[in-house]
Amino acid sequence: AVDWSGAKAASGQRRHIWVADVWPERAGRALTLEGGQTRDEVVNWLVGEAKKTPGMVVGLDFAFSYPAWFVRGECGCETAVEFWRRVAAEGEGWMRAGKRWFWGRPGVKRPLELSGDAERGFRRTDRAAMEGIARNRPKSPFPIGGAGAVGTGSLRGIPALRALQRAGFCVWPFEAARLPEKPLVVEIYPRVFTGDVTKSDAGARMREVEKLQAGKYGSWLAKGLVERAGRSEDAFDALFAGLRMWEHRAEFGE
């Protein structure tokens, strides 16, 4: 499970990108939790790991696409791959006010069509994930500035999907899973896994990690790993997402 970052500077990426790697067959290290890589470095690392473990599943926490009206009507793309190419070529320009739908930077207001909980601002998968969630519901992928904005991470993450697909990964749901012959990439939303804990509160994070430590994963949670998850919201997200992915591992090939 990769807790992603849309930071432009390499220093910000190294601080905010965290990877939880769950592999019980690895002697003495069933679970690892590491930061310190850039987006490109993470992609290269994943490609290398897939050569050793072709049946791996990777979770990335950014929007793999955008609402259909935007992909088809605004961008003229009929497939996800076409849209990914468009984002790779133009996404940085969109974030510099090249498209009116991306808002949140200083002086760039939200379009009226996307105000409030307007349906146009969300993908079908976002709306489905909102069911049963009272707080911390999925955000629209269009905001690129302000608290909780996910647009920057998505626009800077989509080129990673192209790179992984070229390296042989299947990207669900745009391609069917072919496990264990080929590695699989899925979109994750860590809040589904962490619940409504106040993640900005280090004490609250640590209490949740200690609950994990007292449960069935206690033997996997070494002291240093627990401390990292308590110190960093991003590490916390990666840890919980990785463990929950492991719990649902049998479903990825369906």
Side-chain angles (χ1 to χ4, degrees):
V2 182
D3 192 71
W4 196 250
S5 171
K8 186 172 184 179
S11 59
Q13 295 173 45
R14 294 185 192 282
R15 185 168 61 254
H16 293 295
I17 294 176
W18 282 82
V19 179
D21 183 17
V22 184
W23 188 20
E25 295 179 9
R26 181 172 44 209
R29 302 181 72 209
L31 170 66
T32 62
L33 183 64
E34 303 291 344
Q37 297 190 86
T38 65
R39 288 187 291 271
D40 288 343
E41 288 168 348
V42 167
V43 170
N44 291 336
W45 176 76
L46 290 172
V47 171
E49 290 298 297
K51 292 176 181 177
K52 296 182 287 185
T53 312
M56 70 188 290
V57 180
V58 179
L60 300 173
D61 76 326
F62 58 81
F64 284 12
S65 189
Y66 273 68
W69 66 265
F70 179 78
V71 172
R72 295 177 180 146
E74 288 287 312
C75 299
C77 300
E78 290 301 321
T79 68
V81 173
E82 287 180 35
F83 180 65
W84 296 344
R85 292 195 194 103
R86 185 79 180 269
V87 171
E90 303 178 19
E92 290 293 329
W94 295 352
M95 288 186 280
R96 295 192 297 270
K99 271 197 180 294
R100 64 181 291 263
W101 303 107
F102 295 94
W103 59 276
R105 296 281 176 88
V108 182
K109 296 182 178 180
R110 175 169 48 186
L112 291 176
E113 298 94 326
L114 304 182
S115 62
D117 291 327
E119 185 171 304
R120 282 170 65 83
F122 297 89
R123 302 168 299 160
R124 182 168 57 184
T125 191
D126 298 323
R127 295 194 296 272
M130 290 179 185
E131 297 177 8
I133 300 178
R135 297 173 54 201
N136 304 306
R137 305 175 87 189
K139 304 291 194 302
S140 166
F142 288 105
I144 54 173
V150 298
T152 303
S154 298
L155 292 175
R156 289 181 173 150
I158 283 173
L161 298 178
R162 293 185 69 223
L164 291 171
Q165 188 183 55
R166 289 195 297 265
F169 286 72
C170 295
V171 182
W172 190 89
F174 310 105
E175 301 171 276
R178 292 176 58 187
L179 296 170
E181 290 79 18
K182 297 186 70 173
L184 178 68
V185 183
V186 298
E187 180 180 334
I188 57 174
Y189 179 48
R191 265 300 185 181
V192 171
F193 308 126
T194 64
D196 284 333
V197 59
T198 304
K199 291 194 300 178
S200 58
D201 183 336
R205 291 196 304 270
M206 185 58 76
R207 286 190 291 274
E208 293 300 314
V209 177
E210 288 172 348
K211 290 178 186 177
L212 284 180
Q213 196 174 31
K216 59 184 177 180
Y217 297 119
S219 62
W220 293 4
L221 294 166
K223 180 180 178 182
L225 189 150
V226 169
E227 291 173 349
R228 289 194 290 277
R231 273 198 314 267
S232 165
E233 292 183 44
D234 307 298
F236 180 85
D237 277 351
L239 172 62
F240 274 77
L243 290 175
R244 298 301 181 241
M245 285 179 65
W246 172 253
E247 291 177 358
H248 290 274
R249 63 193 180 279
E251 301 171 29
F252 288 119
E254 295 178 354

